[in-house]
Amino acid sequence: MITVEKSDPFSPDSCSLIEKLSAELAAITGDSGKSNFTIDSMDGDRSLWVLARNEKGDATGCGAIRPLTENIAELKRMFSDRSAPGVGKALLNFLETSAKNMGYTEIWLETRHVNHKAVNFYKNNGYVLIENYGPYIGRDEAVCFSKVLRD
């Protein structure tokens, strides 16, 4: 059983998962992803940092949303240690529901073409390709996705 809950992005569990994610991204893409995310960006009232935990209470994944525009949330730092099936899906469902409840109508995200697991995960969960936005414009290695949040 996976549970997902709001958490402190500065907690030891959060920091450990962020470091694991950064190391994995660096190995896959050559970039840790740290340049486009800081924990300080989680300060806003329309931002949310969450952790997934297994039945023992161990932190097994993390993720965040933050405002991109009034109606669009950006999905950041999604990570599962893959110690149990369903962690990514549980995180994504929780963040999508939270985004809707916070008044967002859409979620955007960026990953890298070479990160095939992530690309397939988002496609399999209803995300569609969009033009690269913001800091990803003109970056051929980046691929951006969007999902309209429906009731």
Side-chain angles (χ1 to χ4, degrees):
M1 169 93 181
I2 304 297
T3 58
V4 179
E5 61 191 10
K6 181 178 180 176
S7 187
D8 176 2
F10 292 100
S11 73
D13 284 339
S14 295
C15 292
S16 174
L17 287 166
I18 290 168
E19 287 307 311
K20 287 179 184 177
L21 168 61
S22 295
E24 191 168 298
L25 287 175
I28 295 169
T29 70
D31 183 342
S32 69
K34 289 182 178 182
S35 64
N36 288 308
F37 178 81
T38 62
I39 292 176
D40 294 337
S41 69
M42 293 286 89
D43 280 346
D45 59 345
R46 294 189 77 212
S47 296
L48 176 65
W49 177 264
V50 298
L51 290 180
R53 296 186 181 279
N54 64 18
E55 62 279 350
K56 296 177 188 173
D58 299 326
T60 58
C62 59
I65 53 173
R66 66 181 182 189
L68 196 58
T69 70
E70 183 66 26
N71 298 316
I72 300 171
E74 185 177 32
L75 186 68
K76 299 298 289 182
R77 305 315 299 194
M78 275 284 292
F79 177 71
S80 164
D81 70 4
R82 292 182 288 291
S83 61
V87 173
K89 182 73 172 162
L91 283 164
L92 192 60
N93 288 342
F94 188 94
L95 287 166
E96 288 175 352
T97 299
S98 297
K100 274 194 292 191
N101 292 339
M102 295 166 87
Y104 294 111
T105 58
E106 199 170 344
I107 293 180
W108 288 10
L109 66 96
E110 179 271 344
T111 190
R112 300 296 170 93
H113 287 285
V114 70
N115 192 346
H116 302 294
K117 285 182 183 178
V119 169
N120 290 332
F121 175 77
Y122 293 118
K123 285 181 177 179
N124 290 337
N125 282 284
Y127 285 76
V128 296
L129 286 169
I130 60 171
E131 291 292 318
N132 287 5
Y133 64 90
Y136 313 111
I137 294 171
R139 294 182 59 186
D140 292 337
E141 73 279 10
V143 59
C144 295
F145 290 94
S146 169
K147 183 175 183 179
V148 174
L149 301 173
R150 306 195 192 290
D151 290 329

